[in-house]
Amino acid sequence: MSSSTEVEQKDDHFEELFQRLQPKKPVAGSLLANYQGVWFGADLLQATLTFQKHFKAIDSDIILATMPKSGTTWLKALTFSIVNRNNHSVDESPLLFSNPHHLVPFLEMYLYKDGNIPDIDAMPCPRILATHLPYQFLPSTILDCSNCRIIYLCRNPLDVFTSILHFVRQNRSASRPLESVDVPFETFCQGIYPYGPFWDHCLGYWNASLKDPQKVLFLKYEDFKKNITCSVKKIADFLGHPFSAEEEEAGLVEEIAMLCSFENLQNLNCNKEGEIQTVFRAKHSSFFRKGEVGDWVNLVPPSMANRLEKLMQEKFGESGLTLDIHGNSVGRR
Ligand code: A3P
């Protein structure tokens, strides 16, 4: 793909736009600007604009959408395995040799970063592509493409917040000091971090899934943890490629669930070693930390947790969207 990738230069117009947005530095990270209600760093915003301008969806495209740290890696592994189950057996899966982020690339954060205009027509169909962008930022070519499907995975905000903090700490350069929980917690509540606010992101896809359930499937990380085989079948049904009775009898659903389980993926060399360079650099291993529901109890004090839970109830209001913050796990360790 890279051989025919074109590159669009970051022009003065973009720099002007970013400055006009009056970016600010909420934490010890880089400058963030609010563009149409969503927070972006400069590189990410440029990549988003390039993606919006140049991406052309086709009917068979499958778009995986998530807020960062909501289980994207898991969703990528599962969808890749479900879609490609006739191309290779589970014990020959490319997931055994490649980190899921290389098999299912991010759109704005990877393919369209640094002004790249990739030749994605060269990708085999169906193309499985991922994004962290909110629903309203998806180019109309995705939204209007009649058969192109969107799968959204959501996770409770307390675990998302906790996972972000650990991820940043695992990938930070040694020279940057560790922050306390208080400052990032405040900015998370205010929504001032890349792709934030959390609430608008979930609600955008939630409402779209209610309006057009054939096009947008809304899933929850906590449901994956409760019953992964049910979720695997749901994804296959939604994609119009349900498991046959023979496949179910042969145990293929369980095999895919096992292949993509946290324990299995975390222990593979391809996920223990190496890194990925999107708009930032991240170790493959940092995408596999604990994989639990309710691990926030080990980081977030009860007063903050209550505040975030109340905020979630307030923001989700009468929408019908609820997220489980406890799962089966209990107690501080
Ligand atoms: P924790 O930090 O809570 O452990 P993302 O993939 O969107 O970056 O999200 C990463 C989170 O998903 C991390 O959560 C990670 O451990 C968890 N995760 C990754 N792969 C998983 C899997 N196969 N099963 C369950 N959780 C997984």
Side-chain angles (χ1 to χ4, degrees):
M1 213 189 307
S2 54
S3 58
S4 44
T5 295
E6 290 172 43
V7 178
E8 194 172 62
Q9 297 304 320
K10 196 187 260 188
D11 55 20
D12 292 347
H13 175 71
F14 176 80
E15 297 297 348
E16 261 172 46
L17 166 75
F18 196 72
Q19 289 316 319
R20 242 185 298 126
L21 296 171
Q22 300 180 337
K24 52 179 168 179
K25 200 168 182 170
V27 260
S30 41
L31 284 174
L32 293 178
N34 189 302
Y35 179 71
Q36 299 179 353
V38 179
W39 290 91
F40 291 95
D43 290 347
L44 188 55
L45 181 56
Q46 192 211 5
T48 297
L49 299 178
T50 311
F51 161 60
Q52 289 179 325
K53 186 166 152 197
H54 295 282
F55 180 74
K56 303 247 175 327
I58 53 175
D59 265 357
S60 57
D61 283 346
I62 300 165
I63 308 293
L64 307 183
T66 50
M67 197 64 183
K69 313 325 293 171
S70 299
T72 320
T73 317
W74 197 5
L75 180 65
K76 285 183 176 188
L78 288 166
T79 309
F80 179 86
S81 305
I82 293 166
V83 168
N84 291 297
R85 66 187 191 268
N86 294 335
N87 300 340
H88 35 68
S89 62
V90 163
D91 44 1
E92 288 175 340
S93 170
L95 279 166
L96 300 171
F97 311 101
S98 299
N99 175 273
H101 296 291
H102 296 286
L103 297 173
V104 179
F106 282 110
L107 284 160
E108 75 286 356
M109 241 176 47
Y110 183 74
L111 293 175
Y112 289 86
K113 72 177 168 137
D114 300 332
N116 284 335
I117 307 165
D119 177 17
I120 64 161
D121 293 343
M123 281 180 84
C125 293
R127 305 183 302 202
I128 313 174
L129 300 159
T131 183
H132 285 321
L133 287 170
Y135 183 77
Q136 75 275 18
F137 274 69
L138 297 183
S140 56
T141 164
I142 293 182
L143 303 178
D144 300 341
C145 207
S146 54
N147 272 319
C148 157
R149 301 266 194 275
I150 301 168
I151 304 179
Y152 186 73
L153 182 65
C154 193
R155 188 183 191 189
N156 82 70
L158 279 155
D159 282 327
V160 168
F161 170 70
T162 303
S163 189
I164 293 175
L165 230 66
H166 284 291
F167 184 77
V168 170
R169 287 177 181 179
Q170 275 177 292
N171 287 301
R172 79 175 44 243
S173 64
S175 58
R176 273 177 55 193
L178 291 178
E179 304 110 32
S180 71
V181 176
D182 305 35
V183 177
F185 181 81
E186 199 51 48
T187 53
F188 184 88
C189 289
Q190 291 172 24
I192 311 174
Y193 64 101
Y195 298 106
F198 175 87
W199 329 103
D200 301 352
H201 205 281
C202 307
L203 283 173
Y205 284 96
W206 173 251
N207 290 329
S209 74
L210 296 180
K211 206 167 151 206
D212 193 352
Q214 309 289 332
K215 175 135 193 120
V216 185
L217 176 66
F218 191 98
L219 299 168
K220 299 177 186 174
Y221 181 94
E222 294 74 22
D223 292 340
F224 276 22
K225 291 292 291 183
K226 268 189 221 140
N227 190 341
I228 188 60
T229 52
C230 172
S231 302
V232 168
K233 288 196 253 182
K234 207 183 241 186
I235 293 172
D237 290 348
F238 174 73
L239 295 176
H241 189 14
F243 284 88
S244 64
E246 294 75 36
E247 284 178 320
E248 290 211 26
E249 265 164 41
L252 188 55
V253 177
E254 288 76 12
E255 275 184 33
I256 288 177
M258 285 288 289
L259 170 70
C260 302
S261 68
F262 179 84
E263 293 70 24
N264 189 52
L265 293 182
Q266 188 197 34
N267 285 314
L268 296 171
N269 281 340
C270 59
N271 296 324
K272 282 192 204 161
E273 295 159 3
E275 56 184 31
I276 182 159
Q277 177 75 53
T278 60
V279 288
F280 58 87
R281 189 186 295 271
K283 295 175 195 150
H284 288 160
S285 59
S286 65
F287 291 96
F288 305 91
R289 190 184 63 87
K290 264 191 175 172
E292 290 177 1
V293 179
D295 182 51
W296 58 265
V297 294
N298 297 303
L299 185 86
V300 184
S303 60
M304 286 186 186
N306 289 340
R307 183 175 153 204
L308 198 50
E309 197 176 358
K310 278 211 188 87
L311 195 58
M312 170 168 76
Q313 285 157 0
E314 196 184 296
K315 296 282 185 184
F316 289 169
E318 303 295 306
S319 68
L321 175 58
T322 56
L323 296 173
D324 176 10
I325 62 167
H326 296 293
N328 299 323
S329 48
V330 278
R332 288 170 189 266
R333 276 155 295 178

